[in-house]
Amino acid sequence: MTDAVELDRMTVRFGDFTAVEQASLGIRQGEFFSFLGPSGCGKTTILRTISGFIEPTEGAVRIGGRDMRGIGANKRPTALIFQSLALFPMMSVAENVAYGLRVRGVGQRERMAKAEALLNVVALGDQAGKRVDELSGGQRQRVAIARALAVEPQVLLLDEPLSALDLKLRQHMRNELRAIQRRVGITFIYITHDQGEALTMSDRIAVMNRGRIEQVGDGRTVYEVPETGFVAGFVGETNALPGRVIEVGSGLAVVETAVGRLRGRNPKGLGVGAQAVLFVRPEMLHPGLDEADNLLSAVVEEHAYEGNLTHLACNAGGTRLTVLLGAAESRNPPVEGVPVGIGFAAADAFVLAG
Amino acid sequence: MRSSDGHVFVLALPFVVVAVFAAMAWVDRRRGVNAGPGFFARNGWPVGLFLLLAVTLWALFMIVLPQLFMVEMSFRPKLPPAAMGGARDVYTLENYQYFLFGSTTSTASWNATHLNAFWRTILASILVTAGNFAFCYPLAFYMAQVAGAARVRLLLLLLIAPYWLNEILRAFAFRVILGTSGVLNKLLFGAGLIDAPVDFLGMDVGLYAGLSYAYLLLMIFPLYNAIESLDGRLIEAARDLGAPWWRIHKDIVIPFAKPGIGSGCTLVFMLTSGALAAPLVLGGPRSLWFTPIVYDRFYQAFNWPQGSAYAFILLLTCIAFVMAVLKLGRLNLGEITR
């Protein structure tokens, strides 16, 4: 089966600035695919290039196997949900949803029936006649989704559509979006800087930094097996311990760091002498151990109790470490100010180029 | 009613209106409808008093009273100074009758010259307004949504700079360009496109060009303001949903900019129909614009009452027309003055 969307060595430049460099990936039919990265990483440029508002400087965008060069935004089988939603204030809710059908020449009666059906899908059937500004943020969100679905796109593009909502609504809309995607079965391409959103909703994630795609994989892979230092640092919390590789073997590397020699996985096969950073997640650090692959001594400086979790801010000879304890572990937390041994398994740490 | 009583009435009317409003405000305040600090409490009494006096005097003596006196005058007969205030100085509709029938006594035939000029003026003003809109809308859209900041500044400068010249000079410039021995004729003749000079001014090309140009800015700015406040994402959203460019304008930009279009068209229409300099300087020998007729009532016929009546007819017709158009476009005055 051809990919729903394929980026083929796509580069986008604005003058001297390269917004996206050599992006290549395939997004499968019916997939919920996310681009995750900090602001300015080029993820919105990718979205706008797929939707046809920007032409790639080099390379190609293919949708359903068809090269999209020269095909305008109004002729592509995509629909975009804007960050600001961009609902038409001069039209009613139903007219907004029906607009794409109206420009396609669908008759008044038919398009209004379809708009009504779609509004029912997003649970807004009783709001059809209202003005857009009479709706709440979450309702507006759903109108934007219905408006985009009305034109029956092959690919739905979403540009951080949840960022304007409050936390509760955002979490609710995550589930809602995922449910809608399963129901309609079309490809969703989602842009976000929120790793929580990307991890919970996506089938696969592309992590981006400075115009480059750093890693593509499902949420678990991206979180648990980061391929670059940026991915390790950006997706989730992590402790970064810089140093130099002094020994390699059997998929592991030993790094000489400020807090001692630490052993971790070496997925990129770094050689002896390479500058490297050892990354280890806060939840993989266990205080109070006497024996482990890696052991270091630290002083707990601060406790932050969050109920189900406890954050410990530790100081290991000048290097700050964050430790995250689950509820069970945190019943007997280490005492503040007293040195404690912190251990972690070599399999839980990653040595990546610094 | 005699005219001396009329003067008293006209003078008293604004004061009565002001007094009624003051009383209403006082009652509201007593009932607690308007609970905030009072006008004088907010501004302090010296500033408050100054503002009140300045606004009142300005509005009364510069705007309200002169207009009211013009209206009053339009209902009076033309009399030699000696007869003013005498037995023949009574209110009459003869000035309005003259406009319609060309005579103060007979109603046998229509006053074709003046009526034709009047309707031609209204019609031509509508055409000039429409032409102005057709020209300004693309430019305003380009400036508001497409061009970068530097380009917009340059365009604004180019638009504004010619208006540093005064209106008469600009009108004469059109004569220089369009006259039978003018620049344009020379160019066309030199290029071999014509073998006899074209009388552009006689064809009223100069008049319409001059009128269109005179109030261009008053169309550009409201349009630019309105379109500028349109979120560009709405345009993109429409495009993304499949709309071709003309539908985007028809469905999104024009409905959104309607208040700006309303205020631009209203201003241009009102000012064009009341323009004097361009018709005087650029009007062809056969064209008869209404404002020069009004002017002649005052300064050629020395018939101020009739001139007032003519001016008042033009004003009322324009207001009625504008109101009707606004009603049709489902716009209200509050929106277009936004």
Side-chain angles (χ1 to χ4, degrees):
Chain A
M1 198 158 81
T2 50
D3 283 330
V5 176
E6 190 192 346
L7 306 184
D8 186 4
R9 282 161 294 151
M10 188 189 89
T11 299
V12 181
R13 289 195 197 94
F14 302 115
D16 290 340
F17 176 70
T18 304
V20 178
E21 195 161 3
Q22 297 280 324
S24 286
L25 56 81
I27 297 167
R28 297 172 198 136
Q29 303 277 4
E31 191 172 27
F32 197 120
F33 192 94
S34 293
F35 284 93
L36 172 66
S39 57
C41 72
K43 57 191 192 295
T44 298
T45 305
I46 284 193
L47 198 76
R48 291 175 64 78
T49 313
I50 296 173
S51 61
F53 290 111
I54 302 172
E55 280 287 340
T57 319
E58 287 161 27
V61 177
R62 283 189 274 275
I63 299 177
R66 197 159 139 241
D67 193 339
M68 285 289 131
R69 181 163 289 275
I71 298 176
N74 54 347
K75 300 250 166 65
R76 293 196 182 189
T78 58
L80 174 57
I81 295 180
F82 289 81
Q83 185 166 14
S84 61
L85 302 183
L87 298 177
F88 304 129
M90 62 294 269
M91 299 179 198
S92 74
V93 168
E95 284 169 343
N96 259 283
V97 176
Y99 185 73
L101 301 172
R102 192 170 135 206
V103 301
R104 280 166 177 73
V106 177
Q108 161 89 14
R109 189 187 301 262
E110 193 184 335
R111 66 176 191 252
M112 280 305 164
K114 182 148 186 214
E116 211 163 294
L118 274 164
L119 284 171
N120 282 328
V121 170
V122 295
L124 284 174
D126 49 342
Q127 313 283 327
K130 283 202 176 164
R131 280 210 324 271
V132 171
D133 56 13
E134 290 173 305
L135 300 185
S136 70
Q139 289 174 323
R140 274 207 281 269
Q141 189 77 58
R142 299 206 293 267
V143 175
I145 294 167
R147 185 178 71 175
L149 291 176
V151 298
E152 294 179 359
Q154 289 171 26
V155 181
L156 190 69
L157 306 160
L158 302 99
D159 186 5
E160 307 213 22
L162 304 188
S163 56
L165 304 180
D166 62 55
L167 184 67
K168 206 91 195 204
L169 201 54
R170 204 152 63 217
Q171 275 163 353
H172 172 73
M173 284 306 295
R174 278 183 195 177
N175 299 333
E176 194 102 325
L177 269 179
R178 189 68 193 164
I180 289 171
Q181 196 257 343
R182 293 222 172 92
R183 219 173 313 151
V184 297
I186 60 171
T187 310
F188 273 41
I189 301 180
Y190 192 90
I191 294 289
T192 183
H193 64 267
D194 181 329
Q195 37 136 339
E197 272 178 20
L199 290 174
T200 49
M201 291 194 288
S202 319
D203 294 317
R204 286 193 304 154
I205 300 170
V207 183
M208 288 192 68
N209 183 35
R210 295 190 187 173
R212 290 180 173 277
I213 295 173
E214 298 260 335
Q215 185 173 356
V216 180
D218 60 36
R220 185 173 283 276
T221 310
V222 167
Y223 185 82
E224 292 181 3
V225 194
E227 284 176 6
T228 69
F230 176 80
V231 175
F234 187 75
V235 184
E237 250 187 303
T238 194
N239 292 296
L241 301 159
R244 208 164 51 82
V245 178
I246 56 167
E247 196 188 319
V248 293
S250 57
L252 298 179
V254 178
V255 184
E256 179 81 61
T257 71
V259 293
R261 294 182 173 190
L262 300 174
R263 192 183 298 267
R265 284 156 72 167
N266 185 12
K268 290 288 171 189
L270 296 179
V272 171
Q275 291 294 322
V277 182
L278 182 136
F279 294 96
V280 58
R281 300 270 181 213
E283 65 269 25
M284 298 303 176
L285 295 178
H286 305 289
L289 291 186
D290 304 324
E291 213 181 279
D293 295 347
N294 298 293
L295 256 184
L296 47 90
S297 172
V299 177
V300 177
E301 288 186 330
E302 232 179 275
H303 257 110
Y305 178 70
E306 292 177 19
N308 56 343
L309 295 169
T310 302
H311 266 263
L312 302 181
C314 306
N315 189 338
T319 303
R320 306 193 62 85
L321 291 174
T322 305
V323 177
L324 194 62
L325 301 180
E329 276 181 302
S330 65
R331 287 212 188 97
N332 302 303
V335 184
E336 281 178 34
V338 177
V340 64
I342 294 178
F344 60 93
D348 294 334
F350 289 86
V351 179
L352 298 164
Chain B
M1 187 161 61
R2 285 166 53 97
S3 72
S4 50
D5 305 331
H7 280 160
V8 173
F9 175 73
V10 167
L11 262 176
L13 190 61
F15 293 98
V16 172
V17 171
V18 169
V20 168
F21 273 107
M24 278 162 62
W26 183 76
V27 170
D28 270 0
R29 188 161 287 284
R30 284 294 293 269
R31 288 207 196 125
V33 175
N34 181 358
F39 179 73
F40 286 102
R42 229 176 14 240
N43 298 302
W45 70 264
V47 174
L49 196 66
F50 171 75
L51 285 176
L52 201 63
L53 279 177
V55 171
T56 310
L57 289 179
W58 175 268
L60 280 184
F61 288 101
M62 305 298 271
I63 303 169
V64 178
L65 281 176
Q67 302 285 347
L68 283 177
F69 274 112
M70 290 293 272
V71 174
E72 194 257 356
M73 190 190 285
S74 75
F75 290 104
R76 288 165 60 189
K78 186 196 175 192
L79 293 171
M84 283 187 186
R88 281 157 57 209
D89 196 356
V90 289
Y91 285 114
T92 166
L93 288 171
E94 65 181 45
N95 296 314
Y96 293 91
Q97 195 187 354
Y98 189 87
F99 171 70
L100 289 174
F101 303 108
S103 154
T104 52
T105 48
S106 149
T107 56
S109 63
W110 295 100
N111 183 357
T113 321
H114 289 180
L115 285 172
N116 282 345
F118 181 73
W119 291 119
R120 275 191 42 173
T121 300
I122 299 288
L123 190 69
S125 299
I126 293 170
L127 289 177
V128 166
T129 307
N132 229 328
F133 172 73
F135 179 79
C136 290
Y137 176 80
L139 187 60
F141 181 80
Y142 175 78
M143 287 185 357
Q145 290 287 341
V146 184
R151 185 71 58 86
V152 170
R153 273 199 300 276
L154 178 70
L155 278 171
L156 282 178
L157 187 70
L158 288 176
L159 280 170
I160 293 171
Y163 289 87
W164 293 343
L165 295 174
N166 71 55
E167 202 185 345
I168 308 277
L169 224 55
R170 262 184 286 130
F172 274 108
F174 273 103
R175 272 203 98 96
V176 171
I177 295 170
L178 298 169
T180 39
S181 56
V183 181
L184 188 60
N185 266 312
K186 277 190 184 141
L187 274 176
L188 290 173
F189 195 75
L193 291 168
I194 52 171
D195 34 50
V198 181
D199 185 12
F200 290 114
L201 293 175
M203 288 153 60
D204 280 345
V205 172
L207 176 58
Y208 294 130
L211 280 172
S212 301
Y213 192 65
Y215 306 111
L216 199 70
L217 288 187
L218 294 167
M219 182 65 91
I220 281 274
F221 283 125
L223 285 183
Y224 173 73
N225 263 336
I227 299 175
E228 215 253 329
S229 64
L230 172 68
D231 177 5
R233 303 279 163 187
L234 294 184
I235 295 172
E236 289 191 342
R239 196 146 80 91
D240 187 62
L241 290 169
W245 65 270
W246 59 271
R247 280 214 77 122
I248 295 176
H249 286 282
K250 175 178 155 289
D251 297 338
I252 311 297
V253 185
I254 290 178
F256 184 86
K258 217 163 67 175
I261 296 170
S263 81
C265 288
T266 309
L267 281 171
V268 170
F269 174 76
M270 290 295 235
L271 288 168
T272 304
S273 61
L276 183 61
L280 277 182
V281 176
L282 291 166
R286 285 188 308 278
S287 73
L288 203 49
W289 201 259
F290 193 65
T291 40
I293 294 177
V294 177
Y295 183 84
D296 285 350
R297 295 298 99 200
F298 281 101
Y299 290 107
Q300 299 294 317
F302 289 107
N303 193 340
W304 281 53
Q306 206 174 68
S308 305
Y310 275 43
F312 194 50
I313 287 168
L314 183 62
L315 178 69
L316 276 185
T317 309
C318 289
I319 290 178
F321 178 76
V322 165
M323 288 300 175
V325 170
L326 291 185
K327 189 93 184 163
L328 279 177
R330 296 209 195 91
L331 273 167
N332 57 45
L333 272 179
E335 268 180 292
I336 68 163
T337 49
R338 194 172 60 180

